[in-house]
Each structure stands twice: as structure tokens, then as C-alpha cells.
Amino acid sequence: TARIWRSSAGVSLRILEGHEQAVLAVQFSPNEQHVLTGSDDLTARLWSVQSGVCVLTLRGHEGSVGSVSFACNGQSILTSGVDRMVRLWSIAEAQCVSSFSIDATRFCAGCCT
């Protein structure tokens, strides 16, 4: 479970329920309309900020998903996990379009500015 908070008031606006294990990574989309989460349940999920509904579940990692990031245009997602794989996902196609393995045990993805 993850929550979207209004920090100035300390109020929970949305509860994002759907992951079966701990949420390890969270990022807002560039337009702030979606939230991306990565979890110990081997998935990344895309959520609507407006409704709190999961609009896309990304499966393919063989270990916890510890890093998630949006591309600058908000059309693609980058994930990495303890399986030492980095995956590039197309939101429109709802699938992994590219992947590669890394030697490091932890990889941190970041959005360009």
C-alpha cells in the first residue's frame, strides 16, 4: 500500500492498494497525473492520482522492483530490480520494449530534466 498525502495539511488524499508486498519505490509522472510504484511483489504499478486506481501493472522482473522512473515525456517507464535487470516499458503498449542486465546490485533510475 502507498498513500498520496497533502503534506501541508497532513491529510491522506488517496490510498493506493494492490501490491501484495512492501512498496519500495515511488515517483510522480512529469505531469503529476500518475504515480509509479515498485514493490517486493516483483511488479511496478501505474496509478491514477485522480482516482487512486491502478491503471497498469508491469510484470517481468524476477526479483523486487527497487527503482522506478518516468521518461521526461511521461510515455515510458524505467524499472530496475534485484534481478539485476533494467527494463524499459511503453505505457501505450503496456509492455516491456527493451531490457538489459547490469553488474551492480543496485541501480537507481532517474528522470532527465
Side-chain angles (χ1 to χ4, degrees), residues 27-110:
Q27 188 180 46
F28 276 92
S29 63
N31 66 8
E32 299 182 351
Q33 298 300 304
H34 293 93
V35 172
L36 181 60
T37 56
S39 172
D40 270 336
D41 68 6
L42 316 185
T43 68
R45 293 178 185 249
L46 183 66
W47 308 84
S48 165
V49 169
Q50 181 72 23
S51 67
V53 171
C54 177
V55 296
L56 182 61
T57 301
L58 304 172
R59 293 180 174 85
H61 282 284
E62 295 178 6
S64 299
V65 180
S67 183
V68 296
S69 184
F70 284 93
C72 296
N73 63 10
Q75 301 302 306
S76 300
I77 291 170
L78 189 67
T79 62
S80 66
V82 297
D83 59 358
R84 297 184 179 191
M85 293 297 294
V86 176
R87 297 184 182 276
L88 178 65
W89 306 85
S90 164
I91 295 173
E93 296 176 33
Q95 68 180 1
C96 180
V97 294
S98 184
S99 64
F100 61 92
S101 63
I102 55 173
D103 291 331
T105 57
R106 186 149 181 96
F107 178 84
C108 185

